[in-house]
Each structure stands twice: as C-alpha cells, then as structure tokens.
Amino acid sequence: MKCKIVADSSANVYERDNIEYTSVPLKIVTSEREFPDVKGTDIAEMVSYLQSYKGKSSTSCPNVHDWLNAFGDADLILGVTITSGLSGSYESAMQAKKEYETKHPNAKVLIVDSLSAGPELELIIEKMEEVLKTEQTFEEMTKTISDYCKHSHLLFSLKHLDNLARNGRVSPAVAKIAGILGIHVVGKASDEGTLQQLHKCRGEAQTVNSIWNEMQKHGYNGGKVRLAHCFHPKMAQILADIIQVNYPNADVRITPCTALCSFYAEQGGLMIGYEG
C-alpha cells in the first residue's frame, strides 16, 4: 500500500524524511506582487516588501486541483490544513478528497482541519508519521489523530499587526497603537480555529513569561514543542531554554517561519506548537 502525508504550507514544513510528503502552497497576494509559499521564496525580501507596502494584502489558498495533484496515486492519504476559520484550504481539500475517493474506490483519504496554523500542524504531521508505522486500520488512525489534536495547542506572540490589519483580521487602529507602544500581543488558536488575544505585554521578558505561563495553564508537562520564529531566533531560544530548564528531556525544536507563517507572524513574531 502506498501511503502519503499532505499538508498545506501553513504547516511551515516543506519536506519530511522517511515518508512521502507534499506541501501544498498557499500564496501571499498584494495588488502588485504574489509570493508563493514554496521552498526558495526569499522570505526576508517578502517581509521587507510587506513592511513598506501600503495597500491591501491577503492570502490565496490551494484549489481542488492543487490538492488532487498532491494526492498523487497514493492508496492511503493523511492530510492536514490551516484552520478553516482563516482560509478555504480545508474546504478545497475536502472537495478533492471526495473526487479522489470517487475515482479511486479503494483509496482512503483523511483530511484534518487543524483549527490552527504553523507548528501545531507540524506536531500533527509527526503524529501522522507515527500512526503510519503502526498496523492500525484507517478508522483507528482517524481516531488516534483526532484524539491527538485535542491535546495539541498553538500560542503566538506578535510584535506587529500590520498584515493582519490589511487582511481584515484586526482593526487598523489596534495595529497602529500596538506598533507605537511596542506591545507584544500574545494569543492562541481558539477551539473554534480563530485567533484569540490573551495578553498585551511590554518587552520580551514579559512576553516570554506570559507564553510560558499559558503553556503550563493548558497542561504542558514536558511534551513536544515546536517553535517557529520570524527573524527572531533569540526570543525563540530564550523560551526553549526555559522549557528545557524545567523539562530537560523535552523535545524542543526551533525553525524559521516560511512565507505564510511569516505573513501572519511578521518580523519579531513567534509561533509555539506544543503538546498539552
């Protein structure tokens, strides 16, 4: 049986070792330019351009054809998308699933709405890899992954809110005030898959402490943590050090944000996926 994992590029993962994997790209779109979320896109140049750009910006999700191409000719496909609360990627993937299973009656396709983005999807992908190494049935795999998603979480720290304002996610006034006052907004992916603000922090020390307190509040006890930063490795490392002082054996990894995550996190932003 040919097995495959697919995810849209909000997962911040372009490649995986030891498993067939395809990243389905979203795009960052302005009236002047498009930035596909693919390996090789110049993230620094994109972030710099968006900082100086004054018009509206948005994201474009994969269409049904993009997902069908990603499925290839696999017999078993496990897929995960960015939250349906921010994008139509999940809807497109579900339509592709129906078409694929109609054309391939013996194939099985699971599409998970992560209700999240970034490194929480990376955790879900890793769980999918584990499941594929077992002898579980498709129904058992579906339940295992669904149960896991109930115990994975996403926190984020945003230093700038300009792209979210241009994308209609926050008001321009809120974004402007945050920029002027140097406020870091700490929030989470809510149970409904929306961005939920939790705290407004001044300075990095307060921000990191706020994130760490939220992790503990939501049941973190030494499980996996995946940190994605937008040109701020120092802050990511400070948080990683706190985690590993308290849990020396914790599996903590730090990666840069790819294009879509950089669009939402913006320069200085941090996204934290963790097991609770």
Side-chain angles (χ1 to χ4, degrees), residues 76-270:
L76 173 61
I77 299 162
L78 303 180
V80 59
T81 75
I82 188 173
T83 172
S84 57
L86 289 179
S87 171
S89 186
Y90 175 71
E91 183 179 348
S92 294
M94 287 299 290
Q95 291 180 27
K97 162 188 162 70
K98 292 177 183 177
E99 289 190 23
Y100 193 84
E101 290 181 334
T102 298
K103 294 178 181 177
H104 305 84
N106 295 321
K108 296 287 187 180
V109 182
L110 171 66
I111 301 296
V112 175
D113 180 355
S114 70
L115 301 176
S116 189
E120 185 175 354
L121 274 74
E122 184 176 359
L123 291 173
I124 295 170
I125 290 167
E126 291 176 14
K127 174 55 68 172
M128 289 176 169
E129 290 178 348
E130 291 178 16
V131 165
L132 287 176
K133 294 176 183 177
T134 69
E135 297 183 358
Q136 294 184 22
T137 65
F138 180 75
E139 290 72 22
E140 290 169 337
M141 290 182 184
T142 299
K143 185 179 186 306
T144 298
I145 294 165
S146 175
D147 290 344
Y148 181 79
C149 291
K150 296 173 184 175
H151 301 284
S152 61
H153 308 279
L154 177 76
L155 291 168
F156 56 83
S157 164
L158 306 180
K159 190 176 180 180
H160 302 282
L161 304 174
D162 297 328
N163 292 338
L164 286 172
R166 295 189 190 110
N167 202 21
R169 304 297 179 185
V170 300
S171 76
V174 169
K176 185 175 182 179
I177 291 172
I180 292 172
L181 298 180
I183 292 171
H184 293 248
V185 174
V186 173
K188 69 174 185 175
S190 72
D191 293 341
E192 295 75 33
T194 58
L195 303 180
Q196 180 180 342
Q197 179 179 308
L198 297 173
H199 307 286
K200 295 178 181 178
C201 304
R202 289 185 179 274
E204 293 181 0
Q206 186 181 9
T207 302
V208 170
N209 285 335
S210 177
I211 292 169
W212 176 235
N213 289 337
E214 285 295 328
M215 290 176 66
Q216 294 175 92
K217 185 190 300 184
H218 289 88
Y220 180 73
N221 62 357
K224 290 182 180 179
V225 181
R226 300 292 176 259
L227 304 174
H229 67 87
C230 185
F231 298 103
H232 204 350
K234 178 183 175 183
M235 187 172 175
Q237 190 60 58
I238 290 171
L239 178 58
D241 290 344
I242 290 173
I243 295 167
Q244 293 187 309
V245 164
N246 287 273
Y247 297 98
N249 296 320
D251 179 358
V252 183
R253 299 181 197 170
I254 299 173
T255 57
C257 285
T258 56
L260 193 282
C261 287
S262 292
F263 174 76
Y264 282 119
E266 300 193 52
Q267 185 155 358
L270 186 63

Side-chain angles (χ1 to χ4, degrees), residues 9 13-15 23 25 36-43 258-259:
S9 60
V13 177
Y14 290 145
E15 299 171 329
S23 172
D37 192 2
V38 296
K39 189 175 182 179
T41 294
D42 189 332
I43 307 300
T258 56

Side-chain angles (χ1 to χ4, degrees), residues 25-37 46 49-50 53 55-62 163 166-167 259-260 263-264:
L26 288 93
K27 295 178 182 178
I28 293 85
V29 181
T30 73
S31 61
E32 301 170 347
R33 298 183 62 179
E34 286 188 358
F35 297 91
D37 192 2
M46 183 196 82
Y49 166 78
L50 290 172
Y53 176 71
K56 185 178 179 180
S57 57
S58 62
T59 61
S60 174
C61 71
N163 292 338
R166 295 189 190 110
N167 202 21
L260 193 282
F263 174 76
Y264 282 119

